[in-house]
Amino acid sequence: EGPIEEFTVTARAVTPDALKGTFSSIWLCTKAQHTDLAARAIVPHLAEHGHVLSLQNGLNEFQIMKAVGKSATIGAFINFGSDYLSPGRILFGGRGAVVVGELDGAKTRRLTEIKHRLSIFEPNAKSTTKIWGYLWGKLGYAAILFATALTNDSIADVLARREYRSVLTELACEMTALAECQGVVPLGFNGYDPVAFQREAHTSAIDASFEAMVLHNQKSAKSHSGIWRDLAVRKRKTEVDPQLTIPIEIAENIGLAMPLTQKLVELIQEIEVGSRPLAIETLDALLIAQKE
């Protein structure tokens, strides 16, 4: 339900222990922190020459590959706005990018079929030969979203406040720099422009990207991120581990410092356990850490 479209889908649902049979196409839609458990549960049900599509946030493809192999893993980048409201009720708040791609950049028949199916939901869904570019681009944007979730303000409101743009910019810069060290060129979407978050970027490019992101988020009925919803509404742990901790570990292995991202992870974890409030003061703490 929501302002974009309203429809009902009737589907057979079973718990993992009751699932029988094998399947040629499995779409994995769990939170990032549940990927390893879900991927291992999938193995007995994956048909020979079948594949697993990661419709998630983060770099979960690495964990899925460990369970089913690289050739059976397909990446996806999703940015539409939605919220789980209650069993059987989903808010469809805003359209956003939906992109799928083979991890090796190949153009395959199965990719064409997946894109066709996703087009039923998102008419502008597309396939790409550069899925890693989108996944790393989403990580840069995700770092910004995690920062907006430190407060009860909406995504658009935080992005619009110029006093916080320097700290949000630095978060995206840390992630962009790490992607470039991995030989990946991050790709943009829905107002987020990775070029604006390179170290040598001009202020005008940064401001232009922020204004575009504000405009995109103002159009959505989903005013707050799923991260904020986990903290404020569902009272559960977020995807910060492993969504941001995996990049931090990759950076540590190559000697690249990501101090602000590390501080952001700490702040989110403190909110999760109740030792720090979900408030603008917590976002201020991140700003103070940047200046130290």
Side-chain angles (χ1 to χ4, degrees), residues 29-168:
C29 309
T30 67
K31 287 284 189 177
Q33 63 266 40
H34 303 137
T35 301
D36 183 58
L37 180 61
R40 285 188 279 113
I42 280 171
V43 173
H45 301 289
L46 183 61
E48 186 177 4
H49 306 304
H51 59 262
V52 178
L53 175 68
S54 173
L55 289 164
Q56 303 169 277
N57 291 320
L59 300 176
N60 303 288
E61 288 77 6
F62 289 127
Q63 289 178 291
I64 297 171
M65 280 190 284
K66 290 180 181 178
V68 303
K70 183 177 181 180
S71 63
T73 306
I74 300 177
F77 159 73
I78 51 176
N79 196 51
F80 58 87
S82 64
D83 279 323
Y84 167 92
L85 302 180
S86 62
R89 291 186 61 211
I90 305 294
L91 170 68
F92 188 7
R95 293 200 179 279
V98 174
V99 185
V100 292
E102 297 281 2
L103 301 186
D104 61 1
K107 297 179 180 180
T108 61
R109 179 177 178 179
R110 66 184 187 180
L111 197 62
T112 300
E113 292 174 348
I114 290 171
K115 182 257 182 183
H116 173 71
R117 293 190 182 190
L118 285 170
S119 295
I120 299 171
F121 167 72
E122 173 49 62
N124 294 319
K126 66 179 185 179
S127 60
T128 181
T129 59
K130 301 177 180 179
I131 192 62
W132 290 110
Y134 283 102
L135 292 175
W136 278 98
K138 181 67 179 289
L139 277 175
Y141 182 62
I144 293 175
L145 285 185
F146 271 100
T148 69
L150 296 174
T151 170
N152 284 309
D153 290 2
S154 71
I155 298 171
D157 285 346
V158 175
L159 296 178
R161 295 184 63 171
R162 290 186 172 273
E163 65 266 37
Y164 294 113
R165 286 191 178 177
S166 65
V167 70
L168 300 179

Side-chain angles (χ1 to χ4, degrees), residues 141 145 148 153-162 165 168 210-220 222-225:
Y141 182 62
L145 285 185
T148 69
D153 290 2
S154 71
I155 298 171
D157 285 346
V158 175
L159 296 178
R161 295 184 63 171
R162 290 186 172 273
R165 286 191 178 177
L168 300 179
F210 271 107
E211 295 307 322
M213 287 189 285
V214 169
L215 182 61
H216 174 77
N217 282 282
Q218 285 176 336
K219 293 178 180 178
S220 179
K222 179 183 170 68
S223 60
H224 292 67
S225 68

